[in-house]
Amino acid sequence: KNSIIASLYSTNMHFVLLLLILLLSVATKDACGFNFPTSRKASISSNCHLFMATYSSPNETTKQIYSIHGSGWKSSTWNWGYAQGTGHDCAAICRRRWDDRDERRKLVQSLLSPVEFKASHPESEVPFEEVKLILGLAWQQGRWDGSDGGPGGYGAVLSTMADARRYEKEDEVISALNFIEDISAQFETISRNAGESKRMKAVANDVRGKHAGKEEIFMARRTCAGMVLDAMNFVDNGL
């Protein structure tokens, strides 16, 4: 008798578990294109994957660079411009990381077309805090050859970035808009032709002149950064 009861109990429990799994699959199907998995690795529809790739933005807001504790422009141990500090440590890594011309070319291309790149290579996107470090090192180097725009050029933007206030607001969108405003305003000092200048103004004005969404602003910031690196001939000059 006890064995019969145990058998019935086990059968009922299996039935309940199966019912719960089926109900869960139906409930989540419309939310994210879920199909009941036929293998141990569930598949995600392309639409759901594109949504996550487009609107998830940890690469725009993460402050730590290269997983180094205490890194980032706002960190008290950053010490930009000094031989000791996490800024110096990250700069050494950054120069090694981008010492290959082809890798620099790919970076600039990814920044100039950020939406397309993020949709097709969501795992390869460079965190923007690292992009800011690359810009900082390029501007620092550019002081010696004038590629930073010379007096009135990007030296002022680098000083603002090192000050870690205007681009490090609690509101990430305001920080991004401030960044776009400043680097677009200085672009005339390095622009190679009227077409480049016109495009930079268009990108900056497009997000300032309307109620642009967070993701659109972040993508515009990447485009502006890419245009600056391109005009400074970062691909050939490196860091």
Side-chain angles (χ1 to χ4, degrees), residues 16-173:
V16 171
L17 288 173
L18 179 61
L19 182 61
L20 286 173
I21 292 172
L22 288 172
L23 288 173
L24 181 62
S25 70
V26 171
T28 56
K29 181 177 181 180
D30 291 334
C32 201
F34 178 84
N35 292 315
F36 195 79
T38 56
S39 66
R40 293 182 65 182
K41 184 177 181 180
S43 62
I44 300 176
S45 71
S46 58
N47 286 338
C48 181
H49 183 271
L50 182 59
F51 178 86
M52 291 190 300
T54 304
Y55 292 98
S56 177
S57 55
N59 283 335
E60 308 299 335
T61 57
T62 300
K63 298 305 179 182
Q64 195 174 79
I65 307 174
Y66 304 135
S67 300
I68 294 179
H69 178 71
S71 60
W73 291 89
K74 201 171 183 179
S75 171
S76 59
T77 58
W78 184 243
N79 294 334
W80 178 258
Y82 291 88
Q84 291 184 331
T86 54
H88 177 77
D89 298 337
C90 288
I93 296 172
C94 188
R95 290 189 176 97
R96 291 195 301 269
R97 174 168 160 76
W98 301 105
D99 64 355
D100 182 79
R101 185 184 186 280
D102 192 51
E103 290 300 313
R104 295 195 297 271
R105 178 185 59 79
K106 291 177 183 177
L107 172 64
V108 171
Q109 288 179 342
S110 74
L111 292 171
L112 292 176
S113 302
V115 177
E116 294 83 354
F117 184 84
K118 189 168 187 175
S120 57
H121 303 85
E123 303 301 321
S124 302
E125 186 180 54
V126 176
F128 197 76
E129 202 72 1
E130 182 178 357
V131 174
K132 285 163 61 180
L133 174 58
I134 293 168
L135 284 167
L137 291 173
W139 292 334
Q140 191 178 64
Q141 177 175 280
R143 289 182 304 181
W144 307 109
D145 59 13
S147 61
D148 69 336
Y154 283 98
V157 181
L158 177 56
S159 295
T160 302
M161 195 154 66
D163 186 52
R165 284 185 288 184
R166 182 165 165 79
Y167 312 140
E168 309 296 334
K169 303 286 188 184
E170 289 295 324
D171 190 323
E172 295 289 347
V173 171

